[in-house]
Amino acid sequence: MSEPSVEIAGGGLAGLACAIAFAERGWRTRVWEQSPTLRELGAGLYVWENGLRTLEALGVYDELMPTSHPVHRFDVRDEWARTVESFTYTHEPGDRLTTMLRPLLHGALAQRATDLGAEIVTGTKAVTASPAGELAFTDGRTVKADLIVGADGLHSQIRDSVGLGRQKRILRDGATRMLIPRTEAERTDPESQRCIEYWSRTRRVLYTPCHHDWIYFAVCARNDDAKARQVPIDHDAWISSFPRLESWFERVTADTEARWDSFSMVRLKSWHKGRVAIGGDAAHSQPPNLGQGACLAMSNMLSLAVFADRHRDDLERGLAEWEAHERPLVEHTQRWSAFWGLLSTTCPPGFERVRSPFVAWMGSRKWVYTNLGKTSAHIPTGTEDLGGSP
């Protein structure tokens, strides 16, 4: 049998994970990225157990761990700095949460893909695909392959060109993501090793150690909160909501790289059509309240390669099995992530006083805890031989 081929539109985390997974299985692999260079926003990233298993299977885990931060505790704190929910992690197999820098993960995936023989082409934008397996570009060129993968983000033209979109919804909240320098005290103080999410009415602040030198710092609010979504951030507006965090806000300067992004939700009629498959945010964008967007994007691309390679002679069957296997968990994650976001975006006057006990009560319910952790406890397709159990 001749070597099968895959053309991938999009050089983000999903596209590069896809390239690695197919190249590992002997497929001729090429990634098309519209930007002149491969680049990822300077921010942090939560990688849960399912994501860490995926990174192991993709061959980049050992490279990333020395610069990453193992999380042993994640707290949610209210307007009065009371801890209303707390999650702990032992870092035994099956119970791991690690934070890392997105650019380091992105760079490691790109290097691994290249080392495996995948070709990465930058400065070229793919705009349409056909179910017959053809990918077309803005300059008029076309390429053909056994499989086309659209991993070109929320506003995917590949997805839309084959008519797979069902819903693309901008949600009512968003976030500005930044990195701020980590102080020497924060490198050693036990309190500063934990991740903390602070709530104040409809605003949130996320403090995430993610590297020896950096704190991932995100401020979240509703889209109609004009002062909260300003970039550079409005220090006075945020300090008025979180006066205890003033020293952190002071580390955000005019030179701090920052960008406001509204959260979104994408659902498709199907994840595939003919010889075209859609992955990452193009297929299942979701609010980041469970921190699973990147983990699912990478693990689903690994799974796609497993099912496509298993059914080289009947690719459409492989794509159908892939979607049937992965989509229920993705939609479960989207539902619970959106639900968690409602607790912060819906806060009429006085609600904050009942919200804290309500969140604490919810956290004590086994069914809530199980559903919130279902995705991170999942063993992704393609990682079964790594052993361990959730």
Side-chain angles (χ1 to χ4, degrees), residues 191-206:
E191 170 76 8
S192 301
Q193 308 314 306
R194 67 185 65 183
C195 298
I196 309 173
E197 183 173 274
Y198 292 88
W199 291 11
S200 179
R201 292 190 53 75
T202 58
R203 293 177 178 178
R204 290 181 287 168
V205 169
L206 184 64

Side-chain angles (χ1 to χ4, degrees), residues 300-313:
N300 285 346
M301 292 294 89
L302 172 59
S303 178
L304 172 63
V306 170
F307 280 99
D309 192 59
R310 185 180 298 166
H311 297 289
R312 290 187 180 191
D313 294 331

Side-chain angles (χ1 to χ4, degrees), residues 233-294:
I233 67 168
D234 185 324
H235 288 75
D236 292 339
W238 282 101
I239 292 171
S240 69
S241 294
F242 300 93
R244 296 178 180 88
L245 310 184
E246 183 173 358
S247 64
W248 294 348
F249 288 108
E250 288 176 347
R251 279 183 253 168
V252 180
T253 70
D255 296 328
T256 301
E257 181 184 13
R259 186 182 75 192
W260 170 272
D261 289 301
S262 297
F263 301 152
S264 58
M265 185 81 79
V266 169
R267 293 189 176 95
L268 305 189
K269 301 171 187 174
S270 171
W271 287 2
H272 65 95
K273 185 174 184 178
R275 293 182 173 273
V276 178
I278 308 298
D281 282 349
H284 45 74
S285 178
Q286 59 191 272
N289 299 309
L290 298 188
Q292 280 290 345

Side-chain angles (χ1 to χ4, degrees), residues 136-176:
F137 305 91
T138 52
D139 60 8
R141 281 185 295 165
T142 60
V143 294
K144 298 197 71 173
D146 295 285
L147 177 64
I148 304 296
V149 178
D152 50 338
L154 171 64
H155 304 295
S156 170
Q157 290 184 261
I158 304 306
R159 171 197 65 215
D160 296 342
S161 72
V162 289
L164 291 179
R166 188 182 82 187
Q167 180 191 59
K168 183 178 72 175
R169 186 160 57 98
I170 303 302
L171 303 181
R172 66 166 122 181
D173 55 337
T176 299

Side-chain angles (χ1 to χ4, degrees), residues 341-356:
L342 289 175
L343 295 172
S344 63
T345 58
T346 305
C347 190
F351 178 69
E352 64 270 20
R353 296 193 176 276
V354 299
R355 178 170 61 186
S356 295

Side-chain angles (χ1 to χ4, degrees), residues 13-14 45-54 89 96-98 102 177 280-281 284-300 329-338 371-380:
L13 300 180
L45 185 71
Y46 283 75
V47 185
W48 306 80
E49 178 68 28
N50 59 320
L52 293 170
R53 293 180 67 91
T54 300
Y89 306 90
R96 297 177 292 171
L97 169 60
T98 298
R102 291 185 71 104
R177 300 174 172 93
D281 282 349
H284 45 74
S285 178
Q286 59 191 272
N289 299 309
L290 298 188
Q292 280 290 345
C295 293
L296 284 175
M298 295 186 292
S299 65
N300 285 346
L329 181 66
V330 166
E331 294 187 341
H332 167 92
T333 313
Q334 288 179 306
R335 286 192 298 272
W336 278 86
S337 184
N371 279 291
L372 287 174
K374 181 177 181 178
T375 311
S376 61
H378 173 68
I379 295 180

